[in-house]
Amino acid sequence: MKPTHARTIMAGIAGGLSMNVVMLLTFRLLGFGWNGGGILLESPAQSKKLIAVWTEIEPIPLVVNEPAPIIIGIMLFGVIHAYLFRWLSVAWPNGIVNRGFRFAGLVFVMTFLFWEFFTPFNMFGEPLHLIALELVFWGLIALADGLSIAVVMNERTSGTRKTIWKRC
């Protein structure tokens, strides 16, 4: 049975919220630091151009100074992801983990891997070991998104961890 629009939107909100939280814990806390000083800014190998874009060149990215539009945008991407999941997952094996990992893989490859290749690598000359760290961060964000959406979209989820894993 096809999930309702309400369930799809709820799944998208869960996905968007999980992406925002994991992004906060990875990129903001570890990568850039609450007030600077994170590994992505303090590494001696980091590209001066990338550091300047995030800290000096006006306008500073919205996510640093005015994060609300970015947070809302990521929530909207979560809803779009839920609709994509709804459309694609019917062709995938059943199970929250199976479907969640497949969707996370698609999001990771088609969005985050491309982003890292085209922008930090291509435009900013960021070193490969820092790009690898960012890809780990993006992988965690994609997993949070895919698994959150899969949990909410699973019509047999009763809300208990035991049931969720049993049905995977």
Side-chain angles (χ1 to χ4, degrees), residues 39-48 51 124-130:
I39 191 168
L40 296 174
L41 291 178
E42 294 297 317
S43 171
Q46 184 58 280
S47 157
K48 302 300 181 222
I51 293 170
F124 299 145
E126 187 169 26
L128 291 178
H129 69 283
L130 294 176

Side-chain angles (χ1 to χ4, degrees), residues 18-33 38-41 46 104 107-108 112-113 115-116 126 129-145:
S18 69
M19 284 193 291
N20 274 305
V21 168
V22 177
M23 196 174 296
L24 179 74
L25 295 173
T26 56
F27 279 100
R28 185 63 181 194
L29 180 63
L30 300 173
F32 293 104
I39 191 168
L40 296 174
L41 291 178
Q46 184 58 280
V107 168
F108 178 79
F112 303 142
L113 187 61
W115 160 259
E116 287 294 325
E126 187 169 26
H129 69 283
L130 294 176
I131 289 174
L133 176 63
E134 291 170 8
L135 287 172
V136 170
F137 291 171
W138 287 122
L140 294 171
I141 293 163
L143 280 172
D145 180 42

Side-chain angles (χ1 to χ4, degrees), residues 65-121:
N65 289 334
E66 296 290 330
I70 303 305
I71 292 168
I72 292 166
I74 291 171
M75 297 296 290
L76 292 173
F77 276 113
V79 173
I80 293 167
H81 287 179
Y83 275 97
L84 288 171
F85 180 93
R86 175 179 159 168
W87 177 52
L88 295 170
S89 67
V90 295
W92 297 339
N94 286 330
I96 292 167
V97 174
N98 283 333
R99 289 181 172 185
F101 270 73
R102 279 179 189 245
F103 191 72
L106 283 174
V107 168
F108 178 79
V109 169
M110 297 184 79
T111 305
F112 303 142
L113 187 61
F114 174 79
W115 160 259
E116 287 294 325
F117 171 72
F118 193 77
T119 305
F121 177 75

Side-chain angles (χ1 to χ4, degrees), residues 130-164:
L130 294 176
I131 289 174
L133 176 63
E134 291 170 8
L135 287 172
V136 170
F137 291 171
W138 287 122
L140 294 171
I141 293 163
L143 280 172
D145 180 42
L147 291 171
S148 296
I149 291 171
V151 165
V152 176
M153 294 293 275
N154 184 7
E155 57 192 48
R156 292 181 282 178
T157 300
S158 70
T160 66
R161 182 190 292 178
K162 185 177 179 183
T163 303
I164 290 170

